[in-house]
Amino acid sequence: EKRKDLSESVSINNLKISLVLPLVLTSIGLYLLSFTYHFILNNYAYLERIEFDYFKALIYPNIYSFGLLVLISPVTEELFFRGLLLNGLTRRFDVKHSLALSSLFFAVSHFSVQKLIPIFLLGFFLGWVFIKTKNLLPCILIHAINNGIAFFHTINSEDAQLIELKTGPLFILFFGLLAFSIGSFFLFRDQNVR
């Protein structure tokens, strides 16, 4: 199988418009699953509160923070972790080991102990999307949506805590699994996406 270079991996010509809604649903599902994980840690581990407060201190509700977290980070991280690292690893190792290694590097690079598992899983899913679509744009879109939700959740954390208390983690977990499953199904049901 011929490997594509990085410029071919970010071509908008290779992205089908019918993938946008499934990508959005999958992104929301991934975030809700991560949200449930954080809810559990927030209520049962002091570590979450310390790291959340640190993360919140880094985010200011302005256009610069938004641009950095929602626009620049997804593009640069996907170019590096999926476009360069995962592509390079698949030339040396099988796909499973390459996905695991690139996801581990992605998770560790975020310097968060309690977010290690959700970020690893996000990285694994983004890698899988890249392997299946041979295109970084879906990965960038998923990553940007995830970061956008996290940005607005963080700057509105008091409102978010009220939502957590009213709905509970099982309700959020259910809708996270539902959105992720429906989005993934429609994302990969197309025979041309392999």
Side-chain angles (χ1 to χ4, degrees), residues 1-142:
E1 174 181 329
K2 183 182 173 270
R3 303 268 185 215
K4 293 184 176 185
D5 70 2
L6 196 56
S7 63
E8 291 176 31
S9 297
V10 292
S11 171
I12 198 154
N13 297 333
N14 297 336
L15 184 63
K16 296 179 181 181
I17 196 71
S18 62
L19 293 179
V20 173
L21 183 59
L23 288 170
V24 170
L25 271 175
T26 306
S27 302
I28 291 169
L30 280 169
Y31 187 80
L32 290 175
L33 293 173
S34 177
F35 187 84
T36 304
Y37 174 82
H38 290 194
F39 177 84
I40 292 166
L41 281 181
N42 194 29
N43 289 306
Y44 301 107
Y46 185 66
L47 178 63
E48 168 69 16
R49 180 66 61 199
I50 293 170
E51 288 195 19
F52 182 78
D53 290 342
Y54 173 74
F55 181 69
K56 188 171 182 178
L58 294 175
I59 294 181
Y60 301 101
N62 62 36
I63 193 72
Y64 302 113
S65 293
F66 179 83
L68 179 64
L69 291 169
V70 180
L71 303 175
I72 295 171
S73 292
V75 171
T76 57
E77 288 179 8
E78 292 311 310
L79 284 171
F80 178 75
F81 288 105
R82 260 55 73 188
L84 296 174
L85 184 62
L86 181 58
N87 248 342
L89 288 170
T90 56
R91 292 181 181 154
R92 188 166 182 95
F93 304 106
D94 66 353
V95 172
K96 290 178 201 170
H97 288 98
S98 299
L99 279 170
L101 279 172
S102 66
S103 301
L104 181 62
F105 287 130
F106 179 67
V108 169
S109 75
H110 285 79
F111 303 107
S112 176
V113 174
Q114 103 285 358
K115 292 183 179 117
L116 192 68
I117 293 171
I119 293 174
F120 175 86
L121 294 174
L122 175 65
F124 197 89
F125 181 74
L126 291 169
W128 182 66
V129 169
F130 177 67
I131 295 292
K132 293 290 185 183
T133 64
K134 306 285 190 256
N135 194 329
L136 283 171
L137 291 179
C139 303
I140 292 169
L141 181 61
I142 292 169

Side-chain angles (χ1 to χ4, degrees), residues 120-180:
F120 175 86
L121 294 174
L122 175 65
F124 197 89
F125 181 74
L126 291 169
W128 182 66
V129 169
F130 177 67
I131 295 292
K132 293 290 185 183
T133 64
K134 306 285 190 256
N135 194 329
L136 283 171
L137 291 179
C139 303
I140 292 169
L141 181 61
I142 292 169
H143 198 148
I145 291 169
N146 182 75
N147 285 11
I149 295 170
F151 176 82
F152 289 111
H153 174 246
T154 303
I155 64 172
N156 297 309
S157 61
E158 289 78 24
D159 295 336
Q161 288 172 354
L162 191 60
I163 291 169
E164 290 171 13
L165 292 174
K166 286 184 177 180
T167 59
L170 288 179
F171 183 76
I172 295 169
L173 177 65
F174 171 76
F175 279 105
L177 286 171
L178 184 66
F180 178 77

